[in-house]
Amino acid sequence: MVVLGQSGTGKSYLIKEIAKSFKKNNEKSSGVQVTATTGIASVNVGGGGGTIHSWSGIGDGRYSNETLLHKLENSDHYEVYKHNIKSTQCLIIDEISMLSSKLFEQVEYICRHILDKSLIFGGIQVIVVGDFFQLPPVPDQLKLDSGEHCFRSPIFKQLFKHKFILTNVMRQNQEDFVKAINDISRGELPEDTHNMIKSLSRKLPPGDDPIRLCARNFDCEMYNSCKLIDMEGGEFEFNAVDEGNNSKLERLPVPKHLHLKLGCPVMLLKNLNANLVNGLRGVVTSISTETVTVNFKNTNLKVTQVEIKKEMFTVYSSVESKVIASRKQFPLCLAFSITIHKSQGLTLDRAVVDASCIFAPGQLGVAIGRVRGKKVCK
Ligand SMILES: Nc1ncnc2c1ncn2[C@@H]1O[C@H](COP(=O)(O)OP(=O)(O)OP(=O)(O)O)[C@@H](O)[C@H]1O
């Protein structure tokens, strides 16, 4: 089944309700697995399934279908993913617009080969949820992924016979704002929408420091550096330990030089477990050479103060079938500003959108669609 609908129509809310009702009515509640295409979106929908990448073992898509299947069948490390696949009757994937055709087909391939070769997805019921007018998949040449939408896959057409479209916007209730988000998401700019967007170019009412949404990592980094300089207190610098092909390390999200101050907002850059996921935001509460403690308040975590240690990030070339570069660093970056890609699926209290360098289809619509109304969007 495919569930579509523009931003804020309650798609993620519906997923939570489906999972809740499944749990109520079915003793084998683990049979339903709620996943998403990004870490933060997976936390947003709850359910503990994590990302579709971490649920299935496809990870960052570095392995070929055959290599991955071999690992699933033979490696102890992959036992957990095989168990996930074998124990799932219904798989839900939120923010489907960001799943590429290549990765969609890879998940299908491993499910089919592990469960039942005669059935698509090995017979697992699949519910995909999202809005194809939002952000598309990110292409990755090194992993031979062109970033084509998953609906282009012939398997997508074969599998999904039922399509539901949610039409009532629940996040915002101002008609002109909802219309503007819808127009912009579809790449249209009629005069009334143009005027409405122009009218947002003014100061926000007094309140908490709003998060800034930028199109490119570079713009976030510039803004974050300036905000850190403005903060009071001593600055700590952590230099990454790099190995391998240096030019390829620019692809990694984790900074070579990480600058932090007590009290600064940060974002997690790696899925550490099903709750501590890529995209989670918190505030630094203590710093030592070995650990950075972050308070992930406003999350569903039972313990919100978490000690973060350095992690290894690798760049893998599917062409060469090997890791070609690595970086050891705290999996954190400053988060006064985050990219629009990281914000997809979130509802934010206040936001400033930097629309100067928008480059992907759907990017501006996603950004302004994060808040509940015009009053809190600049
Ligand atoms: N049926 C509902 N009743 C009450 N509140 C709802 C309902 N559906 C959604 N909401 C609220 O509206 C907001 C947006 O919902 P949600 O995040 O599920 O939308 P979405 O379609 O997934 O958005 P996006 O495409 O931006 O990810 C949330 O704050 C959610 O709690």
Side-chain angles (χ1 to χ4, degrees):
M1 179 167 96
V2 184
V3 181
L4 303 172
Q6 82 166 85
S7 95
T9 44
K11 299 181 296 295
S12 305
Y13 188 94
L14 176 67
I15 291 177
K16 287 185 228 170
E17 291 301 311
I18 292 174
K20 243 195 260 171
S21 106
F22 200 104
K23 280 195 173 132
K24 223 192 228 167
N25 300 326
N26 188 342
E27 281 178 13
K28 287 185 192 164
S29 55
S30 64
V32 66
Q33 279 297 346
V34 182
T35 67
T37 52
T38 67
I40 197 67
S42 74
V43 167
N44 201 24
V45 285
T51 60
I52 183 64
H53 314 74
S54 59
W55 173 85
S56 60
I58 62 171
D60 60 6
R62 57 180 57 187
Y63 299 122
S64 67
N65 287 355
E66 295 73 21
T67 307
L68 182 61
L69 185 62
H70 182 79
K71 284 181 183 290
L72 282 161
E73 284 174 337
N74 299 293
S75 160
D76 290 347
H77 179 64
Y78 278 73
E79 198 54 44
V80 56
Y81 310 120
K82 200 159 104 181
H83 171 79
N84 286 346
I85 292 169
K86 283 191 163 175
S87 60
T88 297
Q89 289 137 35
C90 174
L91 174 66
I92 302 177
I93 312 173
D94 195 14
E95 301 298 348
I96 190 67
S97 71
M98 292 177 86
L99 188 67
S100 69
S101 177
K102 176 182 181 255
L103 294 187
F104 173 76
E105 288 187 357
Q106 183 158 62
V107 179
E108 192 282 328
Y109 175 92
I110 54 171
C111 290
R112 179 157 41 89
H113 281 77
I114 285 174
L115 295 171
D116 181 343
K117 288 199 181 66
S118 66
L119 296 170
I120 303 179
F121 267 88
I124 293 179
Q125 284 188 52
V126 183
I127 303 177
V128 297
V129 184
D131 175 9
F132 287 112
F133 286 105
Q134 293 188 28
L135 289 165
V138 179
D140 189 339
Q141 280 178 347
L142 269 182
K143 305 203 183 73
L144 310 173
D145 189 341
S146 64
E148 197 170 51
H149 274 115
C150 61
F151 62 73
R152 300 256 176 231
S153 162
I155 297 168
F156 193 94
K157 286 171 200 134
Q158 253 179 297
L159 180 64
F160 298 116
K161 306 287 181 210
H162 306 287
K163 181 167 81 179
F164 293 86
I165 301 181
L166 305 186
T167 51
N168 261 1
V169 175
M170 306 300 289
R171 183 177 289 129
Q172 300 94 3
N173 57 14
Q174 294 155 316
E175 248 177 63
D176 56 344
F177 193 49
V178 170
K179 177 180 178 298
I181 296 167
N182 201 12
D183 285 342
I184 288 170
S185 302
R186 280 157 178 71
E188 291 162 10
L189 196 62
E191 204 180 334
D192 54 343
T193 292
H194 192 201
N195 290 336
M196 217 237 51
I197 294 299
K198 277 205 299 197
S199 75
L200 301 180
S201 214
R202 43 70 179 117
K203 268 192 175 166
L204 285 179
D208 291 344
D209 209 10
I211 190 159
R212 190 181 186 89
L213 302 179
C214 297
R216 304 179 306 176
N217 279 315
F218 175 77
D219 303 307
C220 289
E221 283 162 21
M222 293 300 288
Y223 183 79
N224 283 330
S225 303
C226 293
K227 289 290 283 185
L228 192 73
I229 290 168
D230 286 349
M231 264 187 96
E232 286 187 3
E235 189 171 307
F236 295 76
E237 181 180 1
F238 298 97
N239 297 317
V241 178
D242 291 349
E243 275 177 25
N245 185 337
N246 260 346
S247 66
K248 301 290 183 211
L249 287 168
E250 281 162 25
R251 306 168 57 85
L252 291 175
V254 63
K256 180 165 177 61
H257 306 289
L258 176 66
H259 297 264
L260 298 174
K261 283 183 183 176
L262 286 176
C264 71
V266 285
M267 183 170 68
L268 198 55
L269 294 172
K270 196 170 193 179
N271 296 326
L272 301 181
N273 59 43
N275 297 313
L276 284 173
V277 296
N278 193 344
L280 205 63
R281 281 175 298 132
V283 170
V284 172
T285 55
S286 91
I287 301 175
S288 74
T289 44
E290 298 303 320
T291 58
V292 174
T293 307
V294 179
N295 186 4
F296 292 103
K297 55 181 185 175
N298 304 329
T299 60
N300 296 330
L301 295 173
K302 284 194 185 108
V303 181
T304 60
Q305 294 271 358
V306 183
E307 277 194 354
I308 305 289
K309 295 195 167 68
K310 289 182 181 165
E311 294 278 328
M312 192 64 91
F313 290 78
T314 57
V315 181
Y316 186 88
S317 164
S318 296
V319 181
E320 297 174 52
S321 295
K322 64 173 189 188
V323 170
I324 52 173
S326 67
R327 168 168 293 167
K328 194 169 183 195
Q329 176 63 287
F330 288 108
L332 296 169
C333 69
L334 290 169
F336 298 98
S337 168
I338 63 170
T339 61
I340 296 167
H341 275 78
K342 287 280 185 212
S343 77
Q344 180 157 314
L346 299 181
T347 299
L348 300 171
D349 292 334
R350 289 154 67 79
V352 171
V353 177
D354 174 354
S356 57
C357 292
I358 295 292
F359 61 88
Q363 211 168 15
L364 186 56
V366 166
I368 58 176
R370 293 310 96 207
V371 291
R372 291 187 193 277
K374 307 185 262 196
K375 205 175 157 194
V376 286
C377 182
K378 181 180 170 197

